[in-house]
Every structure is written in structure tokens, then in C-alpha cells.
Amino acid sequence: MDTAAGYAAMLELVMGLPEQLAEAGTRCLPAGIPGRRGWSTVVVVGMGGSAISGDIARSLMLDSCAVPVISCRDYDIPAAVTKRTLLVALSYSGNTEETLSAYRQAVGTGCRRVVVTSGGELARLARAEHDPVIAVPSGIPPRAALGYLLGSLLPVLEHAGLGEFRGQLDEAVGLLAARRDAWRRRAVTLAARLVDRLPLVLSTSRLLDCAADRWRCQLNENAKVICHTSRLPEHNHNEVVGMGRPAELAQRTVIIGLLERETHPRTSLRLRHVLAIARDGYEQAVRLRAEGRSPLARVLSLSMLGDLVSVELARLTGVDPMPVRRIDKLKRRLARARRE
Ligand code: F6R
């Protein structure tokens, strides 16, 4: 695939987020998905483009559900996993070694497990364990399957009595479909400001922490650039001191402040002060506000805008957004090292 074809393919995938969410949301859950019970914890296991769905679900539940949600991005599951844990393993490919390792450990704990994947070893293992498997369509890059993965995860959590997401999903689908063309035009302008610059994405709420992370991962993998993220108010207790240095870097840094209606008024004020400090020495700053009513619509509105910026930045810099050769190479090298 050449660069132009890669751009067209990734743009189509990114623009198709509402359709993916809608499609995933209308599928029936497989038999065996656990129902409401006295859960002690929810653990979402996954890496990279699969893990972000768990982060979004976690941030939705932080404010609405008494059961703590732990995101596990590693080989080992946390000690909090017990028989009263619902563990969801998310791996688009089904072949990610950290996720496979964590899933294998989970089997030994007797926790309730659900797998979301397009196939691979994870699907095979889960079927052997008689765990429910939600199969998502295969053949696209994992990071471009956000709608399938998140749209599968939320109904599982709802079925388990851990939240009500149906209405939020419907609102998000409608909003993203209605606003995507305008966001794309906005993304073209924003991407032009990021050429040869370091993006610094500042989130101002727990919900937007995931949107900021999604911006970073999509800028890394689609546009093939480094991106830094930071969180307010925490930023004001450490990173603020280092702002502006090294000066050469600050001069080439564009600050992107993400805001939403639940941003605490004091945090909003903090962002204003941070941007005032940045007027001295930083390249420039922009403030972006989430759209939508529900938390899901709000977090996805800024995530989709970030996805579009990453694809437009790839186009402007002549980069093919589709391949992630370094990730593939690392996975191959690690697989070889296991066989040796
Ligand atoms: C590639 C991507 C990666 C993968 C990660 C884990 O598009 O986004 O971050 O998501 O390497 O692989 P999966 O998702 O297949 O478990």
C-alpha cells in the first residue's frame, strides 16, 4: 500500500468509528457472559490500541460505579484478582504476549473471564476454557478497531450490572456521525500547526485523561511522531516547574489543552494560568472543548478529533499512517527470542 492509499484507508477507518460502535452494540452477547453479582473488582487486561477501550470504560465507571476498575497492561495480573473479579481480556489480534500471559494467570484464580478479540491464540485458549468470546471483525489495525472493542466491552459491563451504557452509546454514535466532517476540517488546520512540532496534550479531567492518551498513541502510530501528555491538576505540582526548558524544545512545542464541561472550575483556572506561563517561550497553544452530553460522547468527541489530527498530520508529512513497523519488528524479535 502506498502512502496515499494508506492515508485513504486509515481516514476511512477513523471516520467509521460511529458505524463500528453501532454495529458492535447491536450484536447479541454470547452465552456465558456473567450477570449482576457482588463483584469485588473489574480488571481489564490489554495493551496499546486494545487497552484504550478498558481505560475509557474505567473512566466512565469511576464516577458511576462503586466497583473499582483496574487496567492491567502487563504480564502479571494484580493481586486484587479473586473469584469475585470480572476480568475482561482485550486483544484485537489475540496474539499479544503480555495479554496472553495475564489471561493464563487469570485462569488459575477462578475469576470470571470474558475475551474480546478477532481470533488468535487468545480465542483458542478462551474456547478451551469455555470462557465467552466476543469475536470482532478481523483485518484492520488494532488501534482502528476502537469502536468494535469498546462497543463490545460496554455491553459486557452493563450485563454484569456495572453501569448503564446503552443511552451513552446511542448518543455517541449520533454525535460522531453528525460532527465528523466538521471535525475533519478542524483536524486539517490543527495538523498544519503540528508539522515539525512536539505536541503536548494536557487533560483537565479524569475522563479526558483517556482522550489525551488516545491522542498520544494515535500521533505515535499514525503520524509516527513523539507526543507528550500531562494531566491537570497534577501537572501544577511538578511539571509546571520544568516548563520552558529545554528552551529549544519549548519553542517547538504546541500545547493542546483538552477541556470538558465536568472540568473542575479550579482546574480550568489552572489551565488558563499554565497557558499564560506558556506564552513565554512556547510555540503556541490551543484549547479544545469536548462535545456531547454523556461522558462517553464527550470522551469520544475529543478522541475522534485526535484520531483525525493524527491521520492529517501523516498526510501533511508524507507518512503512511497504516504500518507500525517498529511494533511488528519488536513482536517478531521477541517471538524469536522465546523460541531460541
Ligand atoms: C496497532 C496498535 C498496537 C496494538 C498492540 C497490542 O494498531 O494499536 O498498539 O494494539 O500492539 O496488540 P493487540 O491490540 O492485537 O493485542
Side-chain angles (χ1 to χ4, degrees), residues 106-144:
V107 169
T109 67
C111 68
R112 295 300 303 263
R113 299 171 301 273
V114 176
V115 162
V116 183
T117 184
S118 71
E121 178 66 4
L122 186 61
R124 200 192 60 71
L125 279 175
R127 293 206 169 99
E129 293 296 332
H130 305 290
D131 283 343
V133 176
I134 301 183
V136 297
S138 60
I140 58 177
R143 62 190 180 284

Side-chain angles (χ1 to χ4, degrees), residues 20-21 23-27 29-30 33 53 88 90 114-117 134-137 145-158 169:
Q20 277 193 21
L21 277 171
E23 189 191 319
T26 52
R27 287 220 223 97
L29 288 176
I33 303 281
S53 294
V88 185
L90 294 166
V114 176
V115 162
V116 183
T117 184
I134 301 183
V136 297
L146 173 65
Y148 290 138
L149 297 169
L150 182 61
S152 303
L153 173 63
L154 293 178
V156 170
L157 298 171
E158 184 161 313
L169 272 168

Side-chain angles (χ1 to χ4, degrees), residues 71-106:
S71 151
C72 172
R73 281 184 164 84
D74 212 332
Y75 291 88
D76 298 321
I77 53 173
V81 175
T82 67
K83 287 188 169 49
R84 289 175 53 223
T85 297
L86 172 64
L87 182 137
V88 185
L90 294 166
S91 170
Y92 181 75
S93 64
N95 290 320
T96 299
E97 66 174 50
E98 298 93 322
T99 313
L100 288 169
S101 158
Y103 176 78
R104 285 194 182 98
Q105 283 185 12

Side-chain angles (χ1 to χ4, degrees), residues 4-5 93 97 110 114 149 156 163 182 200 242 278 283 288 292 296 299 322 326:
S93 64
E97 66 174 50
V114 176
L149 297 169
V156 170
L200 162 53
E283 162 76 19
L288 302 174
L296 181 63
V299 69
M322 287 298 267
R326 286 211 186 116

Side-chain angles (χ1 to χ4, degrees), residues 15 175-190 291 304-305 308-309:
M15 291 291 264
L175 178 79
L176 303 186
R179 297 288 293 136
R180 60 186 155 193
D181 290 324
W183 291 341
R184 188 181 160 203
R185 288 191 291 276
R186 181 115 203 245
V188 173
T189 317
L190 286 168
E291 296 181 33
M304 189 171 181
L305 178 62
L308 289 163
V309 169

Side-chain angles (χ1 to χ4, degrees), residues 267-288:
T267 307
S268 200
L269 185 61
R270 285 173 183 279
L271 179 66
R272 264 217 299 281
H273 285 296
V274 167
L275 298 187
I277 294 170
R279 246 177 252 135
D280 185 19
Y282 277 75
E283 162 76 19
Q284 47 180 296
V286 287
R287 291 152 62 100
L288 302 174

Side-chain angles (χ1 to χ4, degrees), residues 170-302:
D170 290 344
E171 194 219 342
V173 168
L175 178 79
L176 303 186
R179 297 288 293 136
R180 60 186 155 193
D181 290 324
W183 291 341
R184 188 181 160 203
R185 288 191 291 276
R186 181 115 203 245
V188 173
T189 317
L190 286 168
R193 297 167 76 165
L194 293 180
V195 175
D196 285 333
R197 296 292 177 267
L198 175 72
L200 162 53
V201 185
L202 290 180
S203 90
T204 58
S205 73
R206 294 196 296 229
L207 182 69
L208 295 185
D209 291 348
C210 324
D213 286 346
R214 175 74 176 175
W215 271 69
R216 176 168 43 75
C217 296
Q218 291 289 78
L219 284 164
N220 294 156
E221 295 183 56
N222 290 339
K224 279 85 176 160
V225 293
I226 286 289
C227 170
H228 179 60
T229 51
S230 198
R231 299 167 175 199
L232 265 68
E234 177 63 20
H235 167 283
N236 285 185
H237 299 274
N238 32 65
E239 195 171 321
V240 69
V241 185
M243 279 182 73
R245 282 155 61 88
E248 301 75 31
L249 197 59
Q251 278 152 19
R252 300 178 76 84
T253 298
V254 175
I255 300 183
I256 300 161
L258 305 184
L259 289 145
E260 56 138 339
R261 66 178 199 194
E262 295 293 320
T263 296
H264 193 288
R266 303 284 297 167
T267 307
S268 200
L269 185 61
R270 285 173 183 279
L271 179 66
R272 264 217 299 281
H273 285 296
V274 167
L275 298 187
I277 294 170
R279 246 177 252 135
D280 185 19
Y282 277 75
E283 162 76 19
Q284 47 180 296
V286 287
R287 291 152 62 100
L288 302 174
R289 195 164 272 282
E291 296 181 33
R293 280 190 322 279
S294 67
L296 181 63
R298 299 202 303 272
V299 69
L300 288 180
S301 71
L302 282 178

